[in-house]
Amino acid sequence: MLADNLPTTGSKPTLGASRPIADTAIATEISGSSETESRQQAQQTICPYFFELMKTWPSELVVFEFQRVFIQGANETNIHVKQAVEQLIHCDDEKGFQTIMVRCCYILVNNWQTARIYKPIKELVELFDRRRIISHPDAEGSQRRRSWLMNFCHSQDYQELKRFAAKYDPQGEENWSDRYTSYLLVDRYLDKKHSKAQREAAKALSHELKNRFKFDLAMYTARSQSTLTKDSAIANPTSLGDEILHLVKTLVTKRGTFSYANLANIFRHQISGLTYKTFKPALVKYLTYSIYDKTFLEKATNKLSEKIDPLYSDYEDEIISQGLIARTCNRVINFLILENHRDPSELFIIMLSQGNPLTLVVLLLKIILISPSSQTHLDACLAKLIRYYESQSVAECQWLLNFLDICQITFAIHADNVEYNLVQIEEKKGNLKPDSKRGNYRIFSVAKKQKK
């Protein structure tokens, strides 16, 4: 039924970047340079073809065409694409075949994800089901393609592709770490061993998941305060329970004159023109300002000074620069979370074992406010932290989930594109639930206009 709806040959995309492959016999032995040239020629033919399909064909037909090109070997829509794939097979270039196939996967995934069309992502991954591969032998009867596809099913590339699709599969089983995929994707888009298409897809999806959390948080805080929406309650996007409202209100009260953003601006003004040697103790004071527990304040100050004082001693007489601030902030993030790039740091264990997750999150927020470029480094450290505890059950690491949720909430509230406010509501209106902790103050959020 689907095949009957395929576009006719006359309606196929025009591929200006495609180059016909000569219909000549393929030598059984080729040099490394000619194999590379053949692979490049195949890539220049196949990848632009799928780029063009994305513009003109429905997603279900694009998935079907992908199946015919790479799995069935029965593509007749574009003879040059068919010849390009056959050439890779006859040259026994498994690496080239899989590289181009994976690149095409992420061309499609990236475009569908950007367009918020998720169903075909899942359908694309399901094409690599072993039963489907076995039931669709090569049109020429070759076992080579089937063998390569089976190998791909055991590869890391396929596992990562499945992780993408799992985000949109409501039937899929979710590990607690999947709640924090926006962080886990950071390692992927920073890792240059992945293709540009893979990295772009990971970065776009991470950004989208963060925005989705901001939206879900805003909707939840708005709806959960009203008795009028009782029958259509919005799901809590965290594992914090009802305490989420109190936390949001606590954080929003810091948005005024003594907000963390204002304190960061004051600090940046104060350190202008200072030497790096003078900057380091000033940074410790800035970070520990507003810690009211005297015992913990002393311990945090001593630990941070112990770590920060020896940093970049060769630069101590230089005037502080934004680059040096960023490098220092990245190191401080390491001290606070994952000092040796693998195990939780001493400060992380101390702060969370003493029940101070919000204090730690505020320290991280203060760092990002004076060094926005350190946000990616922070996300990468959080990803490694999640991986470290990933094998533990929810019950075993509920304390970590609390920290991560507080982290997500804090950075969502202090994001540039959302503004939260507390507004006092008169009791007589009667459509808002009472809040004994902060009187009749209610949370209101609004999207900010973005500057060009």
Side-chain angles (χ1 to χ4, degrees):
M1 195 68 182
L2 183 60
D4 293 336
N5 295 324
L6 279 173
T8 63
T9 304
S11 64
K12 69 182 180 183
T14 300
L15 302 178
S18 299
R19 292 187 289 175
I21 297 178
D23 187 16
T24 59
I26 307 299
T28 56
E29 293 184 4
I30 58 175
S31 65
S33 60
S34 61
E35 180 179 301
T36 301
E37 182 179 349
S38 174
R39 185 184 302 172
Q40 290 176 344
Q41 189 177 21
Q43 179 167 299
Q44 291 169 2
T45 300
I46 300 170
C47 292
Y49 177 64
F50 280 99
F51 266 120
E52 292 299 322
L53 292 189
M54 293 296 301
K55 299 176 184 178
T56 56
W57 287 19
S59 59
E60 65 270 18
L61 295 187
V62 176
V63 173
F64 186 67
E65 186 70 359
F66 182 94
Q67 180 180 12
R68 296 203 304 171
V69 169
F70 288 106
I71 297 177
Q72 294 180 345
N75 172 260
E76 300 296 343
T77 307
N78 188 305
I79 189 62
H80 303 314
V81 171
K82 179 178 174 65
Q83 289 177 331
V85 175
E86 289 176 350
Q87 184 170 346
L88 292 170
I89 293 173
H90 290 306
C91 290
D92 198 15
D93 187 4
E94 180 178 5
K95 182 178 180 181
F97 177 86
Q98 292 198 3
T99 298
I100 295 171
M101 183 174 67
V102 170
R103 180 167 177 76
C104 288
C105 281
Y106 280 96
I107 287 171
L108 303 182
V109 167
N110 192 25
N111 279 274
W112 286 326
Q113 180 270 320
T114 301
R116 301 195 175 196
I117 303 173
Y118 303 128
K119 183 180 178 182
I121 298 177
K122 182 174 179 288
E123 293 174 344
L124 179 69
V125 174
E126 290 177 345
L127 291 179
F128 296 101
D129 182 90
R130 296 177 188 178
R131 290 168 294 182
R132 289 195 181 194
I133 293 173
I134 293 173
S135 65
H136 293 297
D138 193 306
E140 295 184 349
S142 171
Q143 298 299 311
R144 184 173 290 169
R145 180 199 302 262
R146 185 188 300 179
S147 174
W148 291 354
L149 290 170
M150 296 297 284
N151 290 342
F152 175 69
C153 290
H154 294 92
S155 69
Q156 184 63 32
D157 281 329
Y158 179 56
Q159 297 305 316
E160 292 172 349
L161 190 64
K162 285 172 63 179
R163 178 178 285 276
F164 265 79
K167 300 297 99 187
Y168 313 110
D169 181 8
Q171 306 300 322
E173 295 183 5
E174 183 185 65
N175 183 278
W176 67 261
S177 63
D178 290 336
R179 304 179 198 175
Y180 310 103
T181 299
S182 60
Y183 295 130
L184 297 177
L185 289 169
V186 175
D187 274 346
R188 167 182 271 280
Y189 72 70
L190 291 179
D191 193 341
K192 294 185 178 180
K193 74 178 181 182
H194 299 301
S195 69
K196 183 178 179 181
Q198 289 173 290
R199 294 170 66 195
E200 286 177 350
K203 189 171 185 177
L205 180 55
S206 176
H207 182 71
E208 183 196 328
L209 292 174
K210 284 187 176 183
N211 283 335
R212 187 186 302 170
F213 179 84
K214 293 175 188 176
F215 176 80
D216 290 344
L217 177 66
M219 291 298 294
Y220 177 76
T221 54
R223 297 293 183 89
S224 61
Q225 297 172 100
S226 173
T227 58
L228 299 180
T229 57
K230 189 174 182 180
D231 295 332
S232 58
I234 302 299
N236 187 338
T238 74
S239 60
L240 294 179
D242 293 338
E243 282 300 305
I244 184 175
L245 294 178
H246 177 58
L247 173 62
V248 170
K249 291 178 181 181
T250 300
L251 292 167
V252 172
T253 58
K254 293 291 187 178
R255 295 291 296 263
T257 305
F258 296 101
S259 70
Y260 298 120
N262 282 342
L263 292 175
N265 288 331
I266 293 171
F267 177 70
R268 281 196 296 265
H269 178 75
Q270 290 177 337
I271 63 173
S272 178
L274 292 183
T275 62
Y276 184 57
K277 183 176 183 179
T278 310
F279 163 76
K280 288 189 284 187
L283 176 63
V284 174
K285 289 183 180 179
Y286 161 71
L287 292 176
T288 55
Y289 177 77
S290 76
I291 296 179
Y292 300 111
D293 185 328
K294 291 185 179 180
T295 302
F296 181 73
L297 172 62
E298 182 178 356
K299 184 177 294 185
T301 301
N302 291 339
K303 288 292 182 182
L304 284 172
S305 298
E306 178 185 317
K307 298 292 186 180
I308 294 174
D309 285 348
L311 286 178
Y312 306 119
S313 57
D314 292 343
Y315 295 88
E316 289 195 335
D317 294 330
E318 292 191 10
I319 300 299
I320 192 69
S321 65
Q322 189 56 46
L324 196 50
I325 291 174
R327 290 167 62 187
T328 303
C329 286
N330 287 350
R331 293 292 297 276
V332 176
I333 290 172
N334 291 344
F335 300 150
L336 292 173
I337 299 179
L338 214 68
E339 192 164 353
N340 62 0
H341 305 290
R342 188 178 64 86
D343 300 320
S345 69
E346 180 184 2
L347 276 172
F348 178 81
I349 298 299
I350 290 174
M351 297 184 82
L352 292 198
S353 64
Q354 295 183 358
N356 293 296
L358 181 57
T359 301
L360 175 56
V361 171
V362 168
L363 289 179
L364 296 171
L365 175 65
K366 285 182 173 182
I367 292 171
I368 301 305
L369 289 173
I370 63 171
S371 178
S373 63
S374 296
Q375 179 71 64
T376 301
H377 183 74
L378 170 59
D379 290 349
C381 286
L382 292 174
K384 290 183 174 65
L385 189 68
I386 293 167
R387 293 295 188 203
Y388 183 87
Y389 289 103
E390 192 173 30
S391 61
Q392 295 188 13
S393 68
V394 171
E396 290 175 312
C397 55
Q398 186 61 56
W399 59 273
L400 176 63
L401 272 62
N402 291 344
F403 163 72
L404 293 171
D405 284 339
I406 292 172
C407 202
Q408 284 188 308
I409 293 170
T410 300
F411 281 89
I413 289 175
H414 289 271
D416 292 333
N417 57 348
V418 181
E419 182 176 356
Y420 284 79
N421 294 286
L422 282 181
V423 178
Q424 191 170 23
I425 304 296
E426 296 180 10
E427 291 184 14
K428 65 180 181 181
K429 293 188 177 181
N431 64 333
L432 292 170
K433 298 176 183 179
D435 180 1
S436 59
K437 293 184 178 180
R438 290 195 179 272
N440 285 324
Y441 284 91
R442 299 295 174 261
I443 306 163
F444 289 88
S445 58
V446 62
K448 295 181 182 179
K449 290 184 178 180
Q450 295 297 294
K451 296 180 180 179
K452 293 185 179 179

